[in-house]
Amino acid sequence: MEKHNYKSAIILGMHDAIVSLTGLIAGLFFAFTDANIIIITCIISSITASLSMGAANYLAVKSNGDKQAIIAALWTFFAYMMTCILLISPFFIFSDSDIALTFVFIMAIFIILLFNLIFYHKKSFFKNFFEMLSVCTIVSIAAFTIGEIANKIFGI
């Protein structure tokens, strides 16, 4: 039996969850600041997005003739959901939304750091770590800006 490397499936789920969910959390936080709205929206988004990402990876891997498409899809789904659970958890732990948001970003950095420590060699660790961190930061800033604009337009 052929040994299969599911690192790309894990990267797909984990990284997309970090980028999309930190962006969503930042956007919601600055548009609403109500922790309950943030939690409910993020739970719904996490479940639907993890299913979507798993399904998309299944179709992508299967289109290449890979017989391990279902396992790759499950790794993507699992990585996405676990990342989302970690990122949403500060809102369950801290009653102060500002502190929770701070810990969301700390958690995102920790997940990126841990992932890179596990999967990348020393020579490419810093490059990959800072690349992932930069993408997440840019998306979060964009989401913050969208949240601010939505807040101003709709007066929420």
Side-chain angles (χ1 to χ4, degrees):
M1 183 169 215
E2 173 186 336
K3 185 179 179 191
H4 210 286
N5 183 348
Y6 296 104
K7 180 169 60 172
S8 64
I10 295 168
I11 289 172
L12 180 64
M14 182 224 45
H15 194 263
D16 193 65
I18 289 173
V19 169
S20 61
L21 199 61
T22 56
L24 178 62
I25 290 169
L28 289 171
F29 179 83
F30 292 106
F32 300 109
T33 67
D34 181 349
N36 291 325
I37 291 173
I38 295 169
I39 291 168
I40 291 167
T41 304
C42 288
I43 288 172
I44 293 167
S45 177
S46 296
I47 293 168
T48 57
S50 62
L51 290 169
S52 175
M53 289 299 295
N57 196 31
Y58 168 79
L59 294 172
V61 172
K62 183 147 175 124
S63 74
N64 291 327
D66 193 330
K67 293 178 171 60
Q68 301 294 320
I70 275 223
I71 296 170
L74 290 172
W75 273 112
T76 301
F77 169 82
F78 179 75
Y80 200 108
M81 276 307 300
M82 290 297 100
T83 302
C84 288
I85 289 168
L86 291 172
L87 292 174
I88 297 169
S89 66
F91 285 96
F92 289 102
I93 297 168
F94 302 102
S95 58
D96 183 329
S97 293
D98 291 327
I99 294 172
L101 181 65
T102 301
F103 274 91
V104 166
F105 291 115
I106 291 170
M107 185 67 70
I109 293 167
F110 175 74
I111 293 167
I112 293 168
L113 179 68
L114 184 63
F115 176 84
N116 281 282
L117 283 172
I118 292 170
F119 284 108
Y120 289 106
H121 302 298
K122 290 178 185 175
K123 63 182 176 181
S124 62
F125 167 79
F126 287 107
K127 176 185 173 280
N128 287 305
F129 172 75
F130 286 113
E131 182 177 41
M132 285 183 172
L133 186 60
S134 297
V135 169
C136 290
T137 302
I138 290 166
V139 171
S140 293
I141 291 169
F144 161 77
T145 304
I146 293 167
E148 283 292 304
I149 292 168
N151 192 351
K152 299 235 185 299
I153 290 173
F154 300 111
I156 299 173

